[in-house]
């Protein structure tokens, strides 16, 4: 079916999100099979799924990069993005959700709501993405539909209700009961292509009635029409229930929950129907808002119509061996055409689109245009990066960009030969374009290139890709924690000056600043309090640039300082000798003096850890965690397994996979994600600072 013949109200732009190993990629593979996009189902274990096409994904059996594809179901066009579940690649989920109209959140029938489930759910909340839920792996040992539904309410705070429930679980799973239609869905073949809708058997009538009552109750809480019927003791019709579900899903007030097992090919078609029936089209979501690039106060609104001036957001960059960089772009309004010139509103540069392609995982289909509501890949852009806005030159509009998460772990790398030094720089710049959560810096004190990212696996994949894709082998140091420094008290009237006279024109910069602790997670907040021209306007920006440079290296051990507010309150200048560099250096000296006086402390990343272990190994695993400075926040039971939610410093968790495997004879599992930064205990801080200073001494 040609995509350009499908009206916009029949578009569904959605992603599949979940905790690692909940079955996202297997579910996506079945979606592609049942929609006729592929003709043979691949398997994670065989390393032959459509969406996991990277060598590293196939070897590890996990998704690393989000992948896009297009499929068709019931005369609707699906633009699908399969996202990673591993926390190290959370930026892939973040940037996908930013541009999607809806999502399917997959939960494991036995593991239920896991830490990364909470993370992706919060990300969907952040961007107000409507969602439906699919409880997968209902045939697995320990699966429990009602328990997982309960965890959605308790741990996610979701207003969710089952629109299906399973006939049996684990090995006894036989079929699915459709609560709205009051039918029994029975699959008749192994591949799940053939199924029949049967009248509801007598033994399920009472249970179906209970689920239906709960569904109507939960809808009544958030929908006026159902509330009126409920209060007047009137039973809503099937059509009224479905309309209410659609209304409340689109406004993010309700989540319908489906059930099945993707691996055994059961329940996926019902998910496809739910996507059509309940997730929004581009017309159902609010028009995109942005502002004039030259005036942040001027708000601009564009409707998802082809007649509007074009605007799109580049949300992901990838490299193709044949065409070079491809720029995944969501078109929000208007129409883009290859061969024309557009404006990158984020940096003011002009860009020409050479060609456009629809992505089918790693395969491409050339298209002649891209209109509102579409997700396409642009080829030929030179100056764009993730989070940039592409728009018409005569009607510029800037959309909100991406805010990457903070890196928590670092690795020192160096090429095996000097000849590869320049090559490594080029390769790392390419990776930085593709991955906003990656950081690269050159440490002058140790003469090393430092890459920083979201976790050990993240950096391991980067090093592996350098070797495989670019034939660039590196010496790699051991992973290091991305420590930070912070201040604890307010200091005022701190003077910074840079005055130099060496014959001829001199240098003169003089600033006065106040510094105080800021809100956690806000970074550096700059306040300009200069009055009466004490510092000319053209030197204000260099002052703040100097502060930013100074904050990259703290006074305790040279780690970055963040989460503080700095006010530029006074200064002096010289008509002849003052320049931008003088004020930048003066501000840098001032901020370092301020840090020394403001009670600097040393901080480390704390990870949120969930462990699941058999009861026999509980004592050994918990005992080991306590030696790692862990704080146990919550413990519980999941069938015959014990669970715990733990806060633990990242510095204590290197190689934990081997430790828990050894302590539980391979039967324990864990997942971990960054949570917050906390002060390092003094005795440990002294050792870290001392070892850092020793490294610098050896190098010098």
């Amino acid at each position: 079916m040609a995509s350009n013949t499908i009206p916009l109200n029949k578009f569904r732009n959605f992603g599949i999100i979940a905790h690692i190993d909940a079955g996202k990629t297997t579910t996506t593979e079945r979606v592609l099979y049942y929609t006729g996009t592929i003709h043979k189902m691949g398997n994670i274990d065989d390393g032959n799924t459509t969406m996991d096409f990277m060598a590293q994904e196939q070897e590890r059996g996990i998704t690393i990069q989000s992948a896009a594809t297009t499929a068709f179901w019931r005369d609707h066009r699906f633009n699908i993005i399969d996202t990673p579940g591993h926390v190290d690649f959370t930026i892939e989920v973040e940037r996908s959700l930013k541009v999607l109209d809806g999502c399917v959140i997959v939960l494991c029938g036995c593991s239920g709501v896991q830490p990364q489930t909470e993370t992706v759910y919060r990300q969907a909340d952040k961007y107000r993405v409507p969602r439906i839920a699919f409880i997968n792996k209902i045939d697995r040992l320990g699966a429990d539909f009602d328990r997982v539904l309960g965890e959605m309410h308790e741990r996610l705070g979701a207003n969710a209700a089952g629109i299906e429930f399973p006939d049996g679980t684990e090995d006894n799973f036989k079929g699915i009961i459709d609560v709205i239609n009051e039918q029994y869905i029975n699959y008749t073949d192994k591949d799940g292509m053939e199924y029949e809708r049967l009248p509801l058997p007598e033994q399920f009538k009472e249970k179906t009635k209970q689920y239906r009552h709960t569904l109507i109750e939960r809808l009544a809480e958030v929908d006026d029409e159902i509330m009126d019927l409920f209060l007047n003791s009137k039973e809503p019709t099937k059509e009224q229930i479905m309309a209410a579900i659609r209304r409340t899903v689109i406004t993010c007030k309700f989540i319908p929950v489906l059930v099945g097992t993707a691996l055994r090919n059961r329940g996926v078609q019902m998910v496809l129907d739910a996507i059509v029936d309940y997730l929004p089209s581009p017309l159902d979501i609010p028009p995109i808002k942005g502002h004039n690039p030259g005036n942040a106060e001027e708000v601009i609104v564009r409707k998802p119509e082809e007649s509007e001036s074009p605007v799109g957001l580049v949300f992901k960059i990838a490299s193709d061996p044949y065409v070079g960089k491809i720029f995944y772009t969501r078109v929000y309004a208007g129409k883009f055409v290859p061969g024309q010139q557009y404006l990158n509103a984020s940096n003011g540069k002009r860009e020409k689109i050479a060609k456009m392609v629809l992505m089918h995982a790693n395969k491409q289909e050339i298209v002649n245009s891209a209109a509102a509501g579409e997700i396409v890949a642009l080829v030929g852009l030179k100056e764009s990066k993730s989070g940039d806005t592409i728009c018409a030159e005569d009607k510029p509009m800037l959309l909100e960009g991406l805010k990457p998460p903070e890196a928590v772990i670092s690795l020192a790398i160096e090429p095996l030969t000097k000849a590869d030094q320049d090559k490594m720089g080029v390769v790392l710049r390419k990776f930085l374009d593709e991955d906003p959560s990656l950081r690269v810096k050159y440490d002058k004190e140790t003469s090393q290139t430092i890459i920083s990212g979201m976790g050990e696996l993240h950096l391991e994949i980067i090093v592996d890709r350098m070797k495989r894709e670019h034939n660039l082998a590196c010496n790699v140091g051991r992973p290091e924690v991305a420590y930070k420094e912070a201040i604890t008290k307010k200091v005022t009237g701190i003077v910074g000056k840079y005055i130099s006279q060496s014959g001829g024109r001199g240098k003169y910069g003089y600033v006065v600043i106040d510094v105080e602790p800021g809100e956690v997670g806000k970074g550096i907040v700059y306040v300009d309090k200069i009055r009466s021209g004490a510092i000319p306007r053209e030197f204000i920006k260099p002052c703040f640039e100097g502060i930013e440079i100074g904050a990259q290296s703290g006074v305790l051990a040279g780690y970055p300082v963040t989460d503080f507010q700095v006010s530029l309150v006074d200064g002096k200048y010289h008509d002849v000798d003052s320049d931008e560099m003088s004020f930048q250096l003066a501000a840098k000296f001032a901020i370092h003096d301020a840090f020394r006086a403001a009670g600097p402390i040393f901080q480390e990343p704390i990870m949120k850890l969930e462990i699941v272990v058999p009861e026999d190994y509980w004592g050994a695993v918990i005992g080991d965690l306590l030696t790692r400075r862990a704080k146990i926040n919550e413990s519980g039971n999941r069938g015959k397994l014990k669970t715990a939610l733990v806060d633990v410093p990242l510095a204590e968790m290197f190689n934990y996979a081997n430790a828990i495997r050894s302590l539980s004879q391979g039967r324990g599992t864990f997942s971990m994600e960054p949570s917050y930064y906390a002060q390092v205990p003094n005795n440990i801080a002294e050792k870290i600072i001392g070892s850092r200073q020793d490294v610098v001494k050896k190098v010098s």
Side-chain angles (χ1 to χ4, degrees):
M1 183 183 300
S3 59
N4 56 7
T5 63
I6 295 178
L8 200 52
N9 68 338
K10 292 192 172 184
F11 273 51
R12 298 290 183 270
N13 296 321
F14 67 93
I16 300 187
I17 62 173
H19 183 92
I20 191 170
D21 205 32
K24 291 178 309 308
T25 301
T26 302
T27 302
T28 309
E29 193 77 3
R30 274 42 182 181
V31 166
L32 298 180
Y33 181 67
Y34 296 130
T35 56
T37 308
I38 60 174
H39 303 290
K40 183 182 177 185
M41 290 182 280
N43 267 313
I44 293 285
D45 292 341
D46 297 334
N48 62 353
T49 57
T50 306
M51 304 298 264
D52 283 354
F53 54 82
M54 286 176 65
Q56 293 89 345
E57 293 176 317
Q58 293 167 356
E59 288 170 3
R60 290 170 169 81
I62 62 169
T63 303
I64 292 169
Q65 289 188 341
S66 54
T69 193
T70 304
F72 300 90
W73 182 258
R74 279 173 46 189
D75 297 329
H76 285 64
R77 170 176 164 175
F78 289 175
N79 294 320
I80 309 166
I81 298 183
D82 176 33
T83 65
H86 197 288
V87 68
D88 284 16
F89 310 104
T90 190
I91 185 67
E92 294 284 337
V93 183
E94 183 93 7
R95 58 185 175 185
S96 299
L97 286 175
K98 184 168 178 60
V99 300
L100 291 170
D101 303 331
C103 65
V104 179
I105 184 165
V106 180
L107 298 101
C108 174
C110 37
S111 299
V113 174
Q114 297 169 276
Q116 189 65 6
T117 318
E118 294 180 39
T119 301
V120 297
Y121 190 86
R122 284 197 306 270
Q123 288 171 313
D125 273 345
K126 176 180 172 181
Y127 295 113
R128 288 195 57 77
V129 180
R131 65 216 83 152
I132 62 177
F134 176 53
I135 296 180
N136 188 28
K137 301 188 178 184
I138 202 66
D139 58 325
R140 286 269 297 271
L141 188 66
D144 187 327
F145 180 76
D146 290 324
R147 174 176 56 76
V148 178
L149 202 52
E151 287 180 6
M152 289 183 69
H153 297 144
E154 293 158 23
R155 291 183 63 173
L156 301 179
N159 179 29
I163 60 172
E164 299 176 344
F165 66 91
D167 173 13
T169 56
E170 302 180 349
D171 289 341
N172 296 318
F173 172 61
K174 299 183 187 71
I176 297 167
I177 291 85
D178 181 336
V179 173
I180 297 172
N181 293 296
E182 299 184 67
Q183 293 173 328
Y184 187 95
I185 299 166
N186 180 53
Y187 279 87
T188 56
D189 71 325
K190 185 182 175 185
D191 285 346
M193 288 294 284
E194 304 293 331
Y195 61 92
E196 52 192 2
R197 287 180 170 270
L198 304 172
L200 194 63
E202 190 65 38
Q203 69 264 34
F204 293 112
K205 286 187 176 176
E206 186 57 38
K207 195 172 182 181
T208 303
K209 190 176 176 183
Q210 291 168 9
Y211 272 97
R212 192 181 177 90
H213 181 74
T214 302
L215 170 63
I216 293 167
E217 257 188 349
R218 292 203 169 272
L219 285 171
E221 290 173 16
V222 291
D223 186 80
D224 291 341
E225 186 180 317
I226 299 296
M227 171 62 83
D228 287 344
L229 292 168
F230 188 74
L231 292 176
N232 292 309
S233 302
K234 291 182 179 177
E235 183 72 16
T237 64
K238 164 195 161 182
E239 289 74 21
Q240 287 173 318
I241 291 173
M242 291 180 71
I245 293 174
R246 181 169 180 77
R247 284 193 299 271
T248 53
V249 166
I250 289 171
T251 53
C252 296
K253 293 177 180 175
F254 177 72
I255 300 177
V257 183
L258 298 99
V259 69
T261 164
L263 189 63
R264 278 181 53 194
N265 314 315
R266 302 290 186 261
V268 177
Q269 290 97 331
M270 288 81 243
V271 175
L272 294 173
D273 287 338
I275 290 165
V276 167
D277 293 335
Y278 307 127
L279 286 184
S281 77
L283 296 173
D284 295 316
I285 59 171
I288 192 71
K289 284 185 180 179
H291 64 264
N292 187 326
N295 180 7
E297 303 297 317
E298 185 187 334
V299 176
I300 302 171
V301 179
R302 297 254 170 93
K303 294 176 183 175
E305 295 172 1
E306 201 172 305
S307 57
E308 286 269 21
S309 184
V311 63
L313 185 78
V314 175
F315 65 94
K316 175 181 166 69
I317 299 174
S319 292
D320 183 274
Y322 303 107
V323 298
K325 284 185 185 177
I326 52 176
F327 299 77
Y328 288 82
T329 304
R330 166 67 194 263
V331 183
Y332 285 102
K335 182 178 181 180
F336 287 92
V337 180
Q340 290 194 13
Q341 191 163 269
Y342 296 93
L343 173 72
N344 181 323
S346 304
N347 61 22
K349 305 278 180 69
R350 291 174 177 172
E351 292 279 32
K352 188 173 183 179
I353 300 172
K355 71 172 182 175
M356 290 178 184
V357 294
L358 271 184
M359 296 304 296
H360 301 285
N362 60 339
K363 296 181 175 63
Q364 302 169 4
E365 174 193 341
I366 296 175
V367 292
N368 298 322
S369 65
E374 296 194 49
I375 294 175
V376 294
L378 309 181
V379 179
L381 306 186
K382 305 293 184 190
E383 304 286 346
S384 298
K385 60 182 191 299
S386 290
D388 283 1
T389 305
I390 306 295
C391 62
E393 290 185 87
D394 59 338
K395 290 187 178 178
M397 176 183 186
L398 183 61
L399 306 177
E400 183 190 19
L402 292 166
K403 189 180 178 186
E406 286 189 46
V408 296
I409 188 169
S410 300
L411 203 62
I413 60 172
E414 58 182 31
L416 295 181
T417 67
K418 283 204 169 184
D420 281 340
Q421 188 73 49
D422 291 340
K423 185 179 179 182
M424 187 171 81
V426 171
V427 171
L428 287 175
R429 276 193 292 276
K430 169 181 169 285
F431 287 161
L432 284 169
D433 285 341
E434 294 177 9
D435 184 354
S437 64
L438 180 67
R439 307 281 192 280
V440 177
K441 72 172 183 176
Y442 184 72
D443 191 330
K444 291 178 183 175
E445 293 175 334
T446 61
S447 301
Q448 290 177 314
T449 298
I450 309 294
I451 59 172
S452 304
M454 301 305 298
E456 284 185 87
L457 182 60
H458 183 200
L459 299 185
E460 183 186 319
I461 295 293
I462 293 293
V463 173
D464 190 40
R465 286 186 63 198
M466 289 171 75
K467 185 175 180 181
R468 288 195 198 205
E469 296 173 20
H470 301 279
N471 196 27
L472 181 62
C474 293
N475 288 321
V476 180
R478 65 182 295 272
E480 288 190 9
V481 174
Y483 293 105
K484 289 198 308 191
E485 298 180 26
I487 59 172
T488 58
K489 60 185 181 183
K490 182 176 180 177
V491 291
T492 58
I494 303 296
V495 174
K497 52 190 175 182
Y498 179 68
I499 302 170
S500 172
Q501 289 292 340
S502 56
R505 183 176 173 180
K507 297 285 185 185
Y508 189 94
Y510 186 105
V511 302
V512 183
I513 61 173
D514 297 343
V515 180
E516 60 187 288
E519 195 178 325
V520 174
K522 287 287 184 183
I524 306 171
V525 178
Y526 299 102
V527 181
D528 178 6
K529 292 186 178 180
I530 295 297
R531 300 290 177 268
S532 307
I535 298 176
R537 301 312 304 168
E538 65 265 28
F539 297 145
I540 300 296
K541 186 180 177 186
C543 287
F544 289 146
E545 287 172 351
I547 288 164
E548 190 161 337
I549 292 167
Q552 290 171 12
S553 177
V555 295
L556 293 176
Y559 288 103
V561 187
T562 189
D563 296 336
F564 64 87
Q565 178 176 302
V566 57
S567 302
L568 192 57
V569 295
D570 202 359
K572 298 175 187 175
Y573 72 99
H574 189 279
D575 286 333
V576 177
D577 293 347
S578 290
D579 60 11
E580 291 186 358
M581 182 60 72
S582 299
F583 275 96
Q584 189 183 92
L585 289 169
K588 180 182 172 185
F589 297 151
I591 198 68
H592 274 164
D593 287 347
F595 290 156
R596 290 187 188 94
I601 58 170
F602 202 45
Q603 293 187 314
E604 63 182 344
I606 304 297
M607 308 301 283
K608 180 179 174 184
L609 174 77
E610 183 184 51
I611 57 163
V612 180
V613 293
E615 201 164 348
D616 293 351
Y617 309 105
W618 177 251
V621 171
I622 290 298
D624 173 70
L625 281 172
L626 293 176
T627 68
R628 298 171 184 266
R629 298 192 281 135
K631 176 189 170 191
I632 297 165
N633 296 321
E634 189 184 309
S635 61
N637 297 299
R638 192 177 288 161
K640 295 178 181 178
L641 301 171
K642 298 277 282 182
T643 65
L645 288 174
V646 181
D647 285 347
V648 60
L650 174 61
E652 305 288 348
M653 295 303 289
F654 289 128
N655 209 25
Y656 186 65
N658 288 334
I660 193 170
R661 200 176 294 132
S662 171
L663 290 165
S664 64
Q665 293 186 12
R667 295 172 63 194
T669 60
F670 77 98
S671 58
M672 186 167 65
E673 64 177 1
S675 184
Y676 60 93
Y677 270 79
Q679 185 173 356
V680 181
N682 287 337
N683 60 324
I684 295 171
E686 286 169 10
K687 286 180 187 174
I688 295 165
I689 293 168
S691 64
R692 172 100 168 161
Q693 290 167 346
D694 288 343
V695 169
V696 174
K697 281 177 190 171
K698 281 179 187 173
V699 171
S700 56

